[in-house]
């Protein structure tokens, strides 16, 4: 994919300004500090091994962002609603299951869960512990009732924002 995108950038005449690479999320080799206006981590944090790795990647990403810039973490799986999601999935997959069977299936699915799910409060707590970082948690827009609109959200971390509106008590 990176090779194809690089070739497309060159064909469009942007080869001298577009630089693409593929590396681990915590490998910042070759990337300048305090340089980028936006870093996007979209639909990848669920593949991180744990919240400690997420913490490492976010700290490093903020080092790369210039003051006033942002790190966007998209498509975050919400641990707060994970049981509800699994219940809906198991109910559809096993329509004849009794309430006890459904409860057992949900518990098994939760125990087998391999993808990282993080509650929105993890990000607000994380940002609170860092000077010069503000957090904006957003629900995914949409009128459909599905996993993306009901059980995932977006996070925008702002580095040294000019204006911060504290909404913690709302």
């Amino acid at each position: 994919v990176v090779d194809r995108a690089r070739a497309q950038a060159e064909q469009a005449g942007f080869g001298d300004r577009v630089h693409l690479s593929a590396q681990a999320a915590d490998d910042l080799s070759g990337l300048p500090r305090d340089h980028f206006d936006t870093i996007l981590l979209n639909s990848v944090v669920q593949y991180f091994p744990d919240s400690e790795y997420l913490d490492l990647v976010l700290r490093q990403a903020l080092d790369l962002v210039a003051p006033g810039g942002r790190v966007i973490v998209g498509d975050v799986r919400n641990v707060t609603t994970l049981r509800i999601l699994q219940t809906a999935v198991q109910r559809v997959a096993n329509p004849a299951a009794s309430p006890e069977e459904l409860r057992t299936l949900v518990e098994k699915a939760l125990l087998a869960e391999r993808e990282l799910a993080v509650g929105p409060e993890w990000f607000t707590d994380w940002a609170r512990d860092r000077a010069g970082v503000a957090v904006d948690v957003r629900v995914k827009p949409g009128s459909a009732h599905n996993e993306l609109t009901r059980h995932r959200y977006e996070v925008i971390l702002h580095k040294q924002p000019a204006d911060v509106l504290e909404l913690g008590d709302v």
Side-chain angles (χ1 to χ4, degrees), residues 38-145:
T38 304
I39 292 179
L40 176 62
L41 301 169
N42 194 51
S43 200
V44 296
V45 298
Q46 69 261 28
Y47 303 114
F48 289 1
D50 51 41
S51 59
E52 288 79 17
Y53 186 79
L54 175 59
D55 168 59
L56 171 67
V57 170
L58 293 179
R59 283 186 287 116
Q60 291 181 336
L62 278 172
D63 285 343
L64 299 178
V65 174
R70 71 209 51 81
V71 174
I72 301 171
V73 186
D75 204 26
V76 181
R77 299 179 74 232
N78 192 346
V79 72
T80 309
T81 64
L82 192 56
R83 181 176 299 278
I84 296 166
L85 171 62
Q86 282 300 335
T87 301
V89 168
Q90 294 304 325
R91 193 173 282 153
V92 168
N94 303 284
S98 70
E100 296 78 24
E101 291 169 327
L102 184 61
R103 194 174 359 268
T104 300
L105 290 167
V106 169
E107 292 304 319
K108 285 181 180 180
L110 290 172
L111 288 172
E113 183 63 54
R114 299 181 57 98
E115 292 185 354
L116 182 63
V118 182
E121 66 280 355
W122 187 91
F123 289 96
T124 55
D125 292 345
W126 186 90
R128 188 177 299 116
D129 294 339
R130 281 151 188 81
V133 177
V135 64
D136 180 7
V137 177
R138 299 179 179 193
V139 296
K140 292 182 78 90
S143 59
H145 181 82

Side-chain angles (χ1 to χ4, degrees), residues 4 15 20 30-31 34 46 53 56 68 79 87 112 117 144 150 155:
R4 188 174 76 216
L20 302 169
L31 299 174
D34 292 322
Q46 69 261 28
Y53 186 79
L56 171 67
V79 72
T87 301
R150 302 293 182 176
V155 177

